[in-house]
Amino acid sequence: MAENCIFCRIVRHEVPSKIIYEDDCLLAFHDINPAAPVHFLIIPKAHIETLADTQLSDEALLGKMLLLAPKLAHELGCENGFRTVINTGPDGGQEVYHLHMHVMGGPRPWRQ
């Protein structure tokens, strides 16, 4: 883990967050600045800066993130669909350099 990374600090429970899921390798919590009625993040507990930094050894972790998204979206009321976004690097709009997946849904209009 990176000492000053905000998401690593959330993983260590040093920074408060509204956690909706936690296991040995993943954490999911509500976005602090939601862009949709339902907007949460799924992050690995291990510090991986970007999707471009993942390796073949991260294959199972990435699959687990993708499988968790619809489960949590459904539990939070996204009956008619949801959007997943992983911003990567400066040109991809990444603001926090710890791999994270945005999951957004709920009644429209909230387009981005």
Side-chain angles (χ1 to χ4, degrees):
M1 279 194 234
E3 179 133 352
N4 293 322
C5 170
I6 187 68
F7 289 171
C8 288
R9 293 184 68 212
I10 290 171
V11 167
R12 293 190 303 261
H13 299 277
E14 296 172 0
V15 173
S17 64
K18 294 181 181 177
I19 296 173
I20 55 176
Y21 177 86
E22 184 172 10
D23 67 17
D24 290 343
C25 59
L26 296 178
L27 185 72
F29 54 93
H30 290 281
D31 193 290
I32 195 166
N33 188 22
V38 174
H39 186 173
F40 61 91
L41 305 176
I42 300 174
I43 67 170
K45 286 187 169 182
H47 184 82
I48 302 169
E49 287 204 0
T50 74
L51 182 61
D53 294 315
T54 58
Q55 306 293 317
L56 185 57
S57 60
D58 298 312
E59 183 176 23
L61 176 71
L62 294 169
K64 189 169 183 178
M65 289 175 70
L66 285 170
L67 288 172
L68 183 59
K71 176 186 180 300
L72 295 178
H74 180 75
E75 288 175 6
L76 293 172
C78 298
E79 302 298 326
N80 293 314
F82 58 92
R83 169 189 250 181
T84 56
V85 176
I86 299 176
N87 299 319
T88 304
D91 288 341
Q94 187 172 3
E95 294 178 5
V96 177
Y97 280 79
H98 183 123
L99 175 63
H100 57 285
M101 178 191 317
H102 293 264
V103 182
M104 297 168 278
R108 288 186 180 249
W110 54 267
R111 289 192 178 163
Q112 271 193 277

